[in-house]
Structures are given as C-alpha cells and as structure tokens.
Amino acid sequence: MTKKPLGGYAPRQHQHQPVALYPPYRTSVKRSPQAAPLSFPTTISEESGPVFGHSLIGPLDADLLHNFGPQDVSAIGPRIVVHGRVQDQFGRPVAGALIEVWQANAGGRYRHAREGYVAPLDPNFGGCGRMITDENGCYEFRTVQPGPYPWPNGPNDWRPAHIHFSIFGHGFAQRLITQMYFEGDPLIPLCPIVRTIHDKAAVDRLIAPLDMSRTLPMDARAYRFDVTLRGRRQTIFENRMEGL
Amino acid sequence: MDTHPESASQTAGPYVHIGCTPNFAGITGVYDVDLGATMITGDASGKRITLIGQVFDGTGTPLRDAMVEAWQADANGLYAGQEGADPHFTGFGRCPCDAEDGTFRFETLRPASVPWPSGGVQAPHITLWIVARGINIGLHTRAYFADAPENESDPVLGRIEHRNRVATLLAHPESDDIYRFNVTLQGPDETIFFDV
C-alpha cells in the first residue's frame, strides 16, 4: 500500500484561538479544563454533521428588525445590514452553512430572563436570527446595531457592541461559536472576553469593518464579517472511501 | 498549505439561548420549534434511550447556563446524510441545561459502531459539544456506553494514557433505557476533552 497524506480536517489552529483559562475573564477560572485534550485524526464522527435545508428558514428569520414585533414596525436603533462570506481555511466557500445570530438591543439589553440591566427592552426586538449561506458561502441579515452593556466581572466592565454567531459547517469538526465586533469601538481592547484571544491579528478578524459599498442609502449602514472555518484536506486515502 | 487562518472562537455567553433555543428563552413566535429539540422524527429503528447528565464546574456546581449538542450515528452505525441512514433520525440534538438543576436530556437511539479510518470500528458513542459562559472554545467529548463490550477494542479509548480517566467517557445505565453522562470541566474527575 502506498503511503499517502492523511485526509480529514486539518488540525485546529490553536495559536489563533482563545486560551481556556484567562483569569481576568472570571467565569473561565472554574470552567476551564486543566488537563491536556486528547488528539486523534478526525473520523466519520467529526467529518459528518447535521445538514439544515433552506426549508428551515422562515421569511423573516434574517430580518431582526421585524421578526419579533409587528411586521410594519421596526425595532428601535441604528439600522444595519451585516453580510459576509463563510470559507474554509483553504479558501473554499462553505455553502449551505447554518448561521444563527443573537444580540442585545440598541440599548444593550438582552431579552432573557436572567438579564436585569436597567436599559429597557424594545417591544419590537427579539434579538435572534438565522440564515443559510448561498452557493458562494455568502450570507446577509438586517438588524439594529447592538449597544454595549455592563456585566458583573470586574467592578466596571462593559462588553463592546457585539453580535454572537453560531455556525454549522459541513462537519461537526467545524462547529464554531464566536462574536462579531464593530470597527472603531474603543471598548474592544479593554474587554476581558476579547483578550482571551492573545493573537492580535485573530482579534482583528473578529472586527467587522463598515462597508459603504453595501450600505443602503437612506435606510441602513452595512458591516462586513467574513468567517473562516477549519478546512477538510482533499486527499483521500486508499483504504477509505470518500465521505467515510 | 494553510492560506487563511481559522476564525477565533469566543464564549457563547450566558444568553446563548436567545439565538440557539429562543423558545426555551421565552422568545416565542420567531421560530416554530427550537433547533435540535427532536432527534427521532418518526418510526426510527433501534433501541430508544435517554441520555441525561449535568455539567459541573471546578467547584462541583452544576452549570445552569450551558448548552449541549449531540451528534451520533443511527442504530445501524450510519450518520444522517450517509446513504441508507435512517430517515426518521436526525442524529443531531441540542439541549439547554435546566435552569434549576442544570440537567440536559436527549431522547435518542442507541447508536451502533462506526468505522475507524485505518480499519476496524469505533465503539458506539455520542459526540457531545458543550458551550457556556466561561467556556472560550466549545468543549468536545464523547459519551460511550459503560455496558458496551465494543469498548474493549475502541481505538480512541485505547489511546488514553491515563487509564483511570477512561471512566470519565462512560455513560452509565440508570435503568434499561436511561444512561447518565456527567461532565466535569475541571479537577480530579475532569472529563477527557478532545482536540479533534
């Protein structure tokens, strides 16, 4: 048998990832594993993953301005479009990826039972949305720009404005939850959650630039947020059928 | 070979439910049902089981704000999307931990063995992925069945150097069809997590 390179997903690039234990993010202190993780090459258990069809997505799922309240009333706040492309680390578009997003309203208030910030709820804003990337890996949704909010970490910690993203690629090995930040926000470098990532360039890639080319005149500004998932190596080994 | 760096993970935060299980969070009327709420969608073949557990932090306190996702093969060892896979089984479950006691629960099927890339098989297992406030990158582990004879020759269990930690990957039967898989994030009983 000829020796060939391994297939499967390329190993996760930990130099670009957050550390598990970062004491300034206080909740990580007792929620971070101390033992080293166990590695093995990906198998079918990691290379397969759930597939979500477009039939999952309702007509307003990607319109957070209108998917909670009455459809003729918009949520209050700066109107924005967020769009981008999901690709793998080899530059291939990830088509059919399910993206779920959630966020606070324009005042920094989440619609959640455990959240007690004094800023009020917006009766016309729920804060969740979802979409599936097209054949080029592209996605787009409309929302309000979320506000920063204070959180019980240090005595005076404020999260930068951010939108949470959950992404399903083609294999469970690609599963990712991350946060998108906004260009120019002075809270970003102060945030202990951002600082769990020690690679500055990796932080910069989570900061969405203003995208005037996609801004809708007299309607909404646009931000661009591209995401890169782990890549699957093309080589198939001899004793293994493609897809297994 | 790498041309683009992978995007960095960030914690799912305490309000992950808003985006991933909005109905559970009380945000109704946006999605009909929460994604992953039902794994068995019809007359699926195989033994029906319930996998339950809790996720404990380094002080022994259960997490009440974690979200657990499950991915597994069907009763014939096929993953959804593979030819011949059970059409009434999604293989994917998502469960927010109970707001009071932190219990997660999956109504599912007992999976069969699946192939190991270089030959042989992997013992029946359910892949679990755990996110929560304080967890900066999702934690990947596997629940194996303590009563499965296939565990003896499983290639993943076999490469665990610290043999006393193998038990952290075993789901134990509480009855004929209920298995408990507790996860410990940190400390002497720390669950084995995978970088895979």
Side-chain angles (χ1 to χ4, degrees), chain A residues 80-94:
Chain A
I80 59 170
V81 171
V82 178
H83 77 102
R85 179 173 178 266
V86 181
Q87 63 176 5
D88 72 15
Q89 67 192 88
F90 305 120
R92 293 186 289 255
V94 182

Side-chain angles (χ1 to χ4, degrees), chain B residues 15-60:
Chain B
Y15 310 125
V16 58
H17 315 102
I18 293 173
C20 294
T21 56
N23 291 289
F24 173 84
I27 300 174
T28 56
V30 182
Y31 309 151
D32 290 343
V33 295
D34 288 334
L35 194 73
T38 306
M39 298 176 74
I40 298 171
T41 58
D43 188 19
S45 62
K47 181 176 172 59
R48 295 185 181 222
I49 60 163
T50 302
L51 181 73
I52 65 169
Q54 292 162 288
V55 182
F56 297 96
D57 71 12
T59 73

